[in-house]
């Protein structure tokens, strides 16, 4: 009878479980205390016949040791779990953690890169903290150009006696074009290979932050330099881009403009895809929406970057990613792009 009871208790002890220190203590009192189950077995042991005492005694000791080891293990496990629970950051988002989504600027940037990559353009990158030489001087900006003033540009350090040594936050990604050009030619001004790159990145300008302007934003600029490159090549590339980005029925128009690094220069408009060019509030009833600037690379820029302008020509273009994103998704406030408002970002989960 006592052997059967020991066997049942052994199976019971092997399956003991506890969720916290309080339950472990309850198990200890139940099996190992002075009034516990194993102590009662020891009292019953007195009535066991002499010839069975050795066998029964050994089994009781085995049961007691098993109970001690099992309860000690449960105690250790609950202590580890309690320490882990105390280390939990209660400010974290509760489970299940919602999946994130790509930022609208990332979505549009990737789409622009994909379109131009299929035309043969490759990615180029450069530093955001730049020198005046690559941002302005090699881009044909005059020494007294307003862009070099403190009210327009964020300077890290300035050298009054030599502006080319000024260090600043780049105000356009044209500095990447300058770096690409100066590394893609031989000593006699010949290109080692045709240049066809796009340069996406963040740029900085000293402007008041409003719904229509920000002190930092994103650009994608393109550059193509080779022999016999014409304005017609530029126009066809931009027309193909506009139709890929805004729809196959999109029309473009080029208006004369001025940029220090291109000549001739132009602003490009697309036909309003909301009203189909008939005129609406979005396009200010003109039927056209401006999206980018472009032009033929000024020979002075080629020469400053070590490329022979008598042999090579090229075109360049640049667009603001926020501008394109506004057109595609009709975001009225530029500040929304950098405020990390999850309600705003969740609107692009399916994009």
């Amino acid at each position: 009878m006592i052997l059967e009871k020991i066997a049942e208790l052994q199976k019971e002890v092997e399956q003991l479980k506890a969720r916290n220190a309080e339950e472990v203590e309850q198990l200890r009192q139940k099996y190992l205390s002075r009034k516990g189950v194993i102590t009662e077995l020891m009292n019953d042991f007195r009535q066991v016949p002499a010839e069975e005492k050795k066998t029964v005694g050994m089994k009781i000791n085995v049961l007691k040791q098993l109970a001690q080891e099992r309860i000690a293990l449960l105690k250790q496990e609950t202590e580890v779990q309690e320490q882990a629970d105390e280390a939990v950051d209660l400010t974290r988002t509760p489970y299940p953690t919602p999946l994130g989504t790509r930022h609208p600027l990332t979505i549009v940037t990737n789409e622009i890169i994909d379109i131009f990559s299929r035309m043969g353009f490759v990615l180029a990158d450069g530093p955001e903290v730049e020198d005046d030489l690559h941002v302005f001087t090699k881009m044909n900006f005059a020494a007294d150009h307003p862009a070099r003033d403190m009210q327009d540009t964020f300077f890290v350090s300035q050298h009054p006696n030599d502006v080319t040594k000024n260090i600043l936050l780049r105000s356009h990604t044209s500095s990447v074009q300058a770096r690409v050009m100066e590394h893609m030619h031989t000593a006699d001004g010949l290109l080692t290979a045709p240049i066809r790159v796009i340069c996406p990145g963040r740029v900085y300008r000293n402007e008041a932050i409003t719904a229509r302007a920000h002190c930092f934003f994103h650009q994608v600029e393109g550059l193509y330099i080779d022999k016999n490159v014409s304005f017609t090549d530029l126009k066809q590339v931009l027309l193909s881009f506009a139709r890929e980005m805004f729809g196959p029925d999109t029309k473009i128009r080029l208006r004369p403009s001025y940029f220090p690094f291109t000549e001739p220069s132009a602003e490009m408009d697309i036909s309003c895809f909301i009203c189909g060019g008939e005129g609406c509030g979005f396009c200010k009833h003109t039927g056209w929406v401006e999206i980018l600037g472009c032009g033929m690379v000024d020979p002075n820029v080629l020469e400053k970057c070590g490329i022979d302008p008598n042999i090579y020509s090229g075109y360049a273009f640049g667009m603001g990613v926020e501008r394109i994103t506004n057109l595609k998704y009709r975001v009225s406030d530029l500040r929304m792009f950098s405020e990390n408002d999850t309600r705003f970002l969740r609107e692009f989960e399916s994009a």
Side-chain angles (χ1 to χ4, degrees):
M1 187 71 177
I2 191 171
L3 289 176
E4 293 176 358
K5 189 173 183 180
I6 291 173
E8 291 177 1
L9 286 172
Q10 188 168 348
K11 291 181 180 179
E12 189 177 310
V13 168
E14 289 174 349
Q15 299 178 1
L16 291 180
K17 294 181 180 179
R19 293 171 295 182
N20 50 52
E22 185 179 351
E23 292 184 0
V24 173
E25 178 60 21
Q26 292 173 357
L27 292 175
R28 188 195 68 79
Q29 292 181 5
K30 178 180 179 180
Y31 291 97
L32 299 175
S33 66
R34 291 183 179 182
K35 296 181 180 181
V37 175
I38 296 178
T39 302
E40 291 179 359
L41 280 179
M42 299 295 291
N43 294 333
D44 296 341
F45 178 73
R46 299 170 186 172
Q47 302 174 4
V48 174
E51 65 272 14
E52 297 180 7
K53 281 187 179 291
K54 182 177 181 181
T55 301
V56 174
M58 290 177 61
K59 289 187 177 294
I60 292 176
N61 288 334
V62 170
L63 174 62
K64 183 176 181 180
Q65 184 176 1
L66 178 63
Q68 289 173 336
E69 291 176 354
R70 182 61 183 166
I71 291 173
L73 179 61
L74 290 174
K75 182 179 180 181
Q76 182 180 3
E77 290 177 350
T78 54
E79 287 177 350
V80 171
Q81 184 60 44
E82 287 175 355
Q83 290 176 358
D85 292 342
E86 291 177 357
V88 171
D89 183 0
L90 298 179
T91 63
R92 289 183 57 185
T93 303
Y95 295 101
T97 304
L99 295 177
T101 178
R102 290 190 184 275
H103 195 280
L105 295 180
T106 302
I107 295 170
V108 173
T109 300
N110 289 343
E111 189 174 354
I112 295 171
I113 291 172
D114 178 66
I115 293 171
F116 284 109
S117 294
R118 285 186 273 117
M119 297 184 196
F121 288 80
V122 298
L123 283 175
D125 194 14
E128 293 184 13
V129 180
E130 260 288 11
D131 55 38
D132 182 290
L133 180 66
H134 291 90
V135 175
F136 295 129
T137 303
K138 290 198 172 187
M139 287 292 105
N140 203 37
F141 282 77
D144 58 351
H145 194 281
R148 280 188 157 114
D149 294 339
M150 290 186 65
Q151 62 264 27
D152 290 328
T153 301
F154 290 109
F155 285 93
V156 177
S157 63
Q158 289 185 284
H159 299 267
N161 298 326
D162 187 357
V163 295
T164 62
K165 295 182 180 180
N166 290 343
I167 304 300
L168 54 129
L169 299 182
R170 66 183 182 189
S171 55
H172 50 196
T173 51
S174 300
S175 58
V176 182
Q177 298 179 17
R179 290 187 175 274
V180 170
M181 285 188 282
E182 69 183 10
H183 287 94
M184 290 288 288
H185 65 83
T186 61
D188 53 0
L190 300 179
L191 286 178
T192 55
I195 298 174
R196 186 187 279 111
V197 296
I198 51 173
C199 317
R202 183 157 52 184
V203 298
Y204 306 83
R205 293 182 188 173
N206 192 3
E207 297 184 10
I209 298 175
T210 66
R212 299 177 61 84
H214 210 291
C215 63
F216 70 85
F217 52 98
H218 300 78
Q219 282 186 337
V220 175
E221 294 196 21
L223 175 70
Y224 177 41
I225 298 177
D226 200 357
K227 296 178 181 178
N228 301 317
V229 178
S230 69
F231 203 96
T232 302
D233 299 321
L234 169 62
K235 182 178 179 181
Q236 187 58 47
V237 164
L238 295 181
L239 177 62
S240 299
F241 163 73
R243 289 179 173 174
E244 287 278 346
M245 177 64 72
F246 299 104
D249 296 327
T250 303
K251 299 177 182 178
I252 68 169
R253 73 175 183 183
L254 297 170
R255 295 178 288 103
S257 186
Y258 167 76
F259 304 108
F261 35 85
T262 54
E263 178 59 38
S265 304
E267 299 277 2
M268 189 182 93
D269 303 333
I270 61 169
S271 55
C272 182
F273 52 89
I274 296 177
C275 64
E278 295 181 1
C280 65
F282 185 78
C283 62
K284 299 180 181 178
H285 302 283
T286 64
W288 298 93
V289 181
E290 178 189 329
I291 66 166
L292 58 82
C294 60
M296 300 300 294
V297 179
D298 193 299
N300 290 332
V301 173
L302 296 176
E303 189 173 358
K304 290 175 184 292
C305 293
I307 299 173
D308 190 343
N310 297 314
I311 301 175
Y312 299 99
S313 58
Y315 60 72
F317 56 85
M319 67 193 79
V321 179
E322 281 84 350
R323 176 66 171 167
I324 304 296
T325 307
N326 282 345
L327 294 176
K328 285 183 68 70
Y329 299 114
R330 306 184 201 177
V331 180
S332 59
D333 192 335
L334 278 177
R335 292 170 293 190
M336 296 295 295
F337 292 127
S338 56
E339 289 183 347
N340 294 324
D341 189 330
T342 56
R343 297 169 299 178
F344 170 71
L345 298 177
R346 276 197 294 269
E347 296 178 12
F348 300 88
E349 288 179 344
S350 60

